[in-house]
Amino acid sequence: MKLIKFCVLFLFLGNTQIFANQPDSAYVFAYTTTQQHNTTGLHYAWSIDKKDWQTIGDEFRFLACDFGRWGEQKKMINPFLFQDESGLWHCLWTLNNEVGQFAHTTSADLYNWQPQSYPEVMHNGNVQDLEVLYNQSTHRYTVTWMSDINGVSKAFKTTTVDFKSYSVTQEIARNSRLNLRKTIVINGERQTGIIYKLPWSEIDALIKFCELDEFQEQQRSDNTSLDAVRFKNLQNVKAKITLQPQNSKAISDMLIGVFFEDINYAADGGLYAELIQNRGFEYTPHDKLGKYPNWNCYTAWHFSGNKNSFKIDTVNPIHPNQKHYAVVNFQKQGESFSNEGFDGIPIKEGEKYNFSVFVRKIKADNNSLIVRLIGDDGEVLAQTKLKTVNGKWKQQKTSLIAKKSCKEAKLELVAQTKGEYAFDMVSLFPEKTFKGRKNGLRADLAQAIADIHPRFVRFPGGCVTHGDGLNNMYHWNRTIGLLETRVPQRNIWNYHQSAGLGYFEYFQFCEDIGAEPLPVLPAGVPCQNSGDGGHGQQGGIPMCKMDNYVQEVLDLIEWANGDKSTRWGKLRAKAGHPDPFNLKYIGIGNEDMISAIFKERFKIIFDAVKAKYPEITVIGTVGPFCSGSDYVEGWNFATKLGVPMVDEHYYQTPGWFIHNQDFYDKYDRNKPKVYLGEYAAHLPGRPSNIETALSEALYLTSVERNADVVTMTSYAPLLAKEKHTQWNPDLIYFNNTEVKPTVGYYVQKLFGNNSGNTYIPSQIKLSNESKDVSNRIAISVVEDSNSNHFIIKLVNLLPVEVDATIDLSGFSISEHKAVLAVLKGNPTDRNSKPVESEIKISDKLKYNLPAYSFSIIKLKRQ
Ligand code: AHR
């Protein structure tokens, strides 16, 4: 294995001359296949004589389509490749058999491709078999294609000079097409594509690009299951560590934060302490894109009487933003209208629960309703009377004290006499929310987050931020104010979002845990993988509506920071927070495709925020990966625009994290700062175990070393409710009664509680200097001037101990003892927890790093 790696690396880095008698030029054939539903992307093959063809990298994907939802929708059909007069390559392709759009992108070298565009050229037909012709005298390109219209195939054209704007589509004669594609045989299969003659050096660069990717793929697939063989003869490693305080540098004191997104039922049914599911009767089949018709206004509600006596109405709502309400006609005493909660309602003996409901008596005797909590065996756990009044909506409140604990209770409204009522916003909250806040958060979950000691909280996502299509973007201003006036919406992860945990609750939570708010707002574009509405593509807020949208972004800053005499500051004060929240950061965009549509909108928003609120740090976005077109173009764009910080996202394998600890060492310190906003180590099966946790810890030590350029990080996602999980791994799993932190959580917590503001470099001399060994041992030393501590973090991802000696003689330590915290286990362990102890220390500190472990030694400064 090692030998192969070495050879591949040598081929890539070494002399370009691979064989002595290489040609000056050869033919390249660009094509795709129909395999995997046409999603295999662009391939190349080369030939000297146009007869014998060799595929480059075994049908390596040099370009993938980015149109539509993840998976089968991202098709590339019949690519057409050409080189323009300036030498730039263009690739156009058919997206599918339905839409009237095609894809276009460019590249200088045939392997680094720019973000794609999808111009719409047909309103009632598809676009197939594209060709491009160039007129040298007019400098115009003519794009032609065939289209099936009502079963008849016709030819069309449009012209363009820049592939940004296009002339009106015209029908043309079918025989005016040139049919430039050729069919050849590769590996026994007939393939159709385009042939070009290229200098050999350019073909060689394509071959090397594949080889590099193969090499990186080997690194990515590196994991601990190989350790038994790889480290069979490895003895304990000795490490001599010398600190270099003379080279200390200031680092960010904001490094560890949290990423909150309403994914996996993180908000409703999760952190938001509301116990009633579908309290506003606003669930709709569209929440799940119509796939589950039983998910609707009635979900989680039950009526014990005649089923036709429970209806949903919309004629006289409390507020137009919450149109639906229930009308229940109790036809006899004892009939009950009940809610099952989110997997039941968890109740604790002796605790108080605050009930409220908007109720309108349509016809009934006075005060004839009772509200009660019922255990899973039918026992009444708490009960009280509910006032009702005639005619108009009135909010009624009462409270219940549980006489017994129950994991899966239900809430019932029970009729004492016949009567008809309308109900809306039926709510039940535990009195004991986090910090006792009204409309507050679940105390145990909020505490688990607070315990990380995060310096900031990102909200509301993630993909929830930019949403699934234009109509699904997250609008912060629809999530504040009275609950009955907020705008609920479909959650991009296919459930319902009540907006009960909205911007006010979020900012309040940040304040309660001493973290900075880091709201992320859409950049005027929805998710590029959108499939709901529109053309299954990014799209953007129409330019004529951008002024309003920019105002919405500016309003958030006024709402957070304006004094109470301002329009938005007044609303904040009315909600219970007269003092400004002191917002410092705002993210614009979430891993968006860096298209022309995105750039235009981002710039408008960025310029407006900068002009009105220069003190706010705007964080831009550089796509969903740590390489590729959006990453490269996102960085170029942000650098040119002078965006102070960008948000990077990458979910990678432990192997990637091990082999890329120098990722930020190479970053230009004069460019924007980095917020590593989403990352996690992913193994097949997506566990959170000692292997993933330690590879994250290893990588975080390298981030700490680079915390002059990386100012913030947040693992993602944060929360996941058991049985309602769309994404794994997450940091904290939970059900209604238990909180289950993962090993990855403990890494975050250890870093969050042991960060510093000065980095002290160290030199490490190992008894075994092989890369496999040295890549798996890491140290990071920081000083925290606030708490007056030196903190040493040590990671050992080897199956043997590392016997370390750390020379502390250059430090002024006040005590001869230190606190040691160790997280260790077998790579597959999911339940390890850090153990703390006190250790004795001397100038020559000796410490044995256990196999597969993360240790922190905290020393008091003099
Ligand atoms: O963290 C889960 C998802 O991963 C986020 O919503 C999105 O931004 C990313 O693709």
Side-chain angles (χ1 to χ4, degrees), residues 228-279:
V229 174
R230 171 178 27 209
F231 295 124
K232 197 165 133 214
N233 299 318
L234 186 68
Q235 305 292 314
N236 279 8
V237 178
K238 291 201 178 349
K240 194 167 166 237
I241 297 167
T242 314
L243 305 182
Q244 301 172 317
Q246 68 283 6
N247 297 332
S248 297
K249 64 175 174 184
I251 55 167
S252 164
D253 57 359
M254 296 277 296
L255 202 56
I256 303 295
V258 291
F259 163 100
F260 178 88
E261 173 167 24
D262 187 1
I263 183 173
N264 310 318
Y265 274 45
D268 295 307
L271 185 60
Y272 185 44
E274 173 64 82
L275 294 167
I276 302 300
Q277 185 174 191
N278 192 11
R279 70 178 173 198

Side-chain angles (χ1 to χ4, degrees), residues 23 28 155 453 597 626 647 713:
V28 162
H453 190 24
I597 304 175
C626 55
D647 177 16
T713 65

Side-chain angles (χ1 to χ4, degrees), residues 127-139:
V127 179
Q128 295 175 337
D129 222 357
L130 290 141
E131 286 184 353
V132 183
L133 305 173
Y134 180 61
N135 184 329
Q136 276 179 325
S137 46
T138 60
H139 300 292

Side-chain angles (χ1 to χ4, degrees), residues 548-603:
N548 285 348
Y549 183 64
V550 168
Q551 192 55 52
E552 179 178 325
V553 176
L554 298 175
D555 290 345
L556 171 64
I557 304 173
E558 183 176 292
W559 176 83
N561 292 355
D563 71 43
K564 49 186 192 225
S565 66
T566 61
R567 175 174 169 222
W568 288 95
K570 196 191 254 169
L571 288 181
R572 182 199 63 236
K574 204 166 147 200
H577 203 284
D579 293 332
F581 277 117
N582 196 16
L583 173 69
K584 300 188 183 83
Y585 304 91
I586 192 166
I588 301 293
N590 175 64
E591 58 174 46
D592 300 302
M593 180 162 81
I594 313 296
S595 60
I597 304 175
F598 163 85
K599 287 182 187 168
E600 191 176 20
R601 286 158 183 76
F602 181 93
K603 183 173 179 331

